[in-house]
Amino acid sequence: MATQYNHGLYQVKPVKTGHKLFGQIVGFIVGSFAVALFCGLLYHPINDTLRGMRYEPSNEMAEIMDRLELTDRGLLVFKSTQPVLQNRDEFIESGCNDVHDTTSTLGCYDSTNIYIYNSENSELAGLEESTAAHELLHAIWSRLAFYDTARLEPLLDEVYDQNKDKLADYMADYPDNQHYTELHSVIGTEIPASQLPDELRAHYETFFANFDHIYSYYEQYDGVLAKINAEIDVLEQEIEQQRAEITKREEYYETEANRLNEDIRRFNQNANTDGYFTSQQEFDRQRNLLIGRQKTLSNYYNETSALVDDINQKIEEYNTKAIHHNDLIQSINSKPQNSSKVED
């Protein structure tokens, strides 16, 4: 929005009632600004209405719109962006992946249209809905007046400070000029509504009739990935602990087996030496001791073998879950090459 100044005013001759003249000039300038501001405020609703009237959503997108439960204002903006679900080739063609060089993108808003990558993975339910809400919030931020963004930025900062552990690495990928639009979108979709300041929550509720439910879409698909990750982490810890225990047991077994074999060799050597054992009782006593040690060491070996079988089973389970996790990540990888990091 630009303030319109009439340069002809500078040619007005000085008069005694200078303050009145100043008031007239200021009044004209303020009036011009008000006209410009009014026109600016009207531009988006009119343009959004016209673009929305021309939008025909696909069946899948119509279902996503229904599940987002948008208010009239939210629906107006969303329809004006003419959102589309795209397969990988279409998504690449739209240029969305140009946003990040090394990471895969789930959706983008190019200042006019919203594009959403269609993973077609039913296991990650809620992904498209969460992405659609995220991109809609970009479109909404771009339409906010400067005084609204100035009001919201401290509130977004407050939530960010409370969730740095979750958001810091994610937000580090974005330059300063994209910081608040991205923070506005990620907080609105990935932080529970109950954790937001009342004023910020009220802002989101202007566009989502059931804003509390928006977080659940992120929770659905992220919960699947988080659950598998947690299971993999637990298995990895158990495998490493058992691996260390098995290593110690193998070292102990080898030491004891060598000692036992040496004692058996010496016993046999003594048994073959005439007169070494002075009685059958002493012979039997030493022999029974060796047999007892053999049984103990054999049980120890069997216990270690059971641990080896258990760790091998866990390694197989770990590999199965890791492959499953990688397959899920690949299903939401909109780039033509492999990538394991995903961004909205």
Side-chain angles (χ1 to χ4, degrees):
M1 294 173 288
T3 304
Q4 300 175 358
Y5 295 94
N6 188 334
H7 294 287
L9 285 175
Y10 292 110
Q11 303 302 318
V12 176
K13 294 180 180 180
V15 293
K16 292 181 180 180
T17 55
H19 290 293
K20 182 180 291 186
L21 177 62
F22 177 76
Q24 291 171 349
I25 294 174
V26 171
F28 182 83
I29 292 174
V30 170
S32 298
F33 178 79
V35 171
L37 180 60
F38 181 71
C39 291
L41 290 174
L42 281 179
Y43 170 75
H44 280 305
I46 293 173
N47 185 58
D48 288 346
T49 300
L50 293 175
R51 283 180 55 83
M53 291 172 60
R54 298 193 296 268
Y55 176 59
E56 290 292 337
S58 65
N59 292 336
E60 294 87 348
M61 185 56 68
E63 292 175 359
I64 289 174
M65 283 196 296
D66 288 342
R67 287 193 288 270
L68 289 181
E69 300 180 73
L70 301 170
T71 64
D72 290 343
R73 287 187 64 184
L75 187 61
L76 176 68
V77 176
F78 194 65
K79 291 178 70 174
S80 77
T81 64
Q82 303 184 353
V84 291
L85 282 171
Q86 296 182 316
N87 61 34
R88 181 177 281 113
D89 291 340
E90 292 169 336
F91 197 73
I92 292 171
E93 184 66 24
S94 71
C96 281
N97 270 315
D98 296 339
V99 177
H100 299 282
D101 294 333
T102 59
T103 59
S104 181
T105 305
L106 296 175
C108 73
Y109 169 63
D110 66 359
S111 298
T112 304
N113 294 86
I114 285 177
Y115 305 96
I116 300 170
Y117 177 60
N118 187 6
S119 69
E120 298 182 345
N121 191 326
S122 60
E123 192 172 355
L124 297 176
L127 177 65
E128 282 79 15
E129 289 82 0
S130 182
T131 303
H134 182 108
E135 301 308 329
L136 169 59
L137 288 172
H138 280 308
I140 288 168
W141 185 264
S142 73
R143 286 160 168 76
L144 293 178
F146 69 90
Y147 47 80
D148 283 324
T149 58
R151 174 176 59 86
L152 293 173
E153 285 173 5
L155 300 174
L156 295 170
D157 287 336
E158 178 184 338
V159 178
Y160 174 76
D161 289 340
Q162 294 170 352
N163 294 272
K164 272 189 177 180
D165 290 347
K166 177 176 181 177
L167 299 177
D169 288 343
Y170 176 89
M171 291 303 301
D173 288 340
Y174 291 89
D176 290 345
N177 65 342
Q178 295 179 22
H179 178 80
Y180 282 110
T181 180
E182 190 60 34
L183 197 58
H184 176 251
S185 286
V186 73
I187 286 175
T189 53
E190 300 183 20
I191 302 296
S194 60
Q195 296 182 16
L196 304 185
D198 291 342
E199 187 177 357
L200 183 58
R201 178 171 177 168
H203 159 72
Y204 288 120
E205 289 174 343
T206 304
F207 306 97
F208 298 98
N210 188 7
F211 178 59
D212 286 8
H213 193 55
I214 295 301
Y215 172 75
S216 68
Y217 292 120
Y218 164 76
E219 194 175 32
Q220 282 178 2
Y221 83 85
D222 184 70
V224 172
L225 296 173
K227 180 175 181 293
I228 298 175
N229 264 331
E231 291 170 349
I232 289 174
D233 288 343
V234 169
L235 283 170
E236 183 176 7
Q237 292 176 9
E238 291 178 352
I239 289 169
E240 291 305 316
Q241 290 173 357
Q242 284 188 249
R243 195 193 305 276
E245 182 180 356
I246 288 171
T247 298
K248 289 181 180 179
R249 292 180 72 94
E250 287 176 338
E251 291 174 353
Y252 176 82
Y253 178 84
E254 184 177 357
T255 299
E256 291 302 307
N258 288 336
R259 287 178 56 191
L260 178 60
N261 288 334
E262 176 60 24
D263 290 345
I264 290 172
R265 184 196 65 78
R266 187 178 299 110
F267 173 82
N268 290 334
Q269 182 180 16
N270 293 338
N272 291 324
T273 302
D274 291 339
Y276 182 84
F277 289 105
T278 58
S279 67
Q280 184 67 39
Q281 183 180 5
E282 179 62 19
F283 175 86
D284 291 340
R285 186 187 70 81
Q286 292 193 22
R287 182 175 180 275
N288 289 336
L289 285 175
L290 291 173
I291 291 174
R293 287 171 60 189
Q294 277 184 323
K295 289 181 178 179
T296 299
L297 198 58
S298 177
N299 290 336
Y300 190 86
Y301 176 85
N302 291 334
E303 291 171 359
T304 305
S305 295
L307 283 175
V308 171
D309 291 340
D310 185 59
I311 196 175
N312 285 336
Q313 184 177 353
K314 286 180 178 176
I315 289 172
E316 183 178 353
E317 185 180 359
Y318 175 95
N319 290 334
T320 299
K321 289 183 181 295
I323 291 172
H324 182 205
H325 182 269
N326 290 339
D327 287 344
L328 289 175
I329 292 297
Q330 189 59 32
S331 75
I332 57 176
N333 180 7
S334 58
K335 284 187 175 294
Q337 71 271 16
N338 290 331
S339 175
S340 60
K341 187 177 180 182
V342 178
E343 301 285 355
D344 286 330

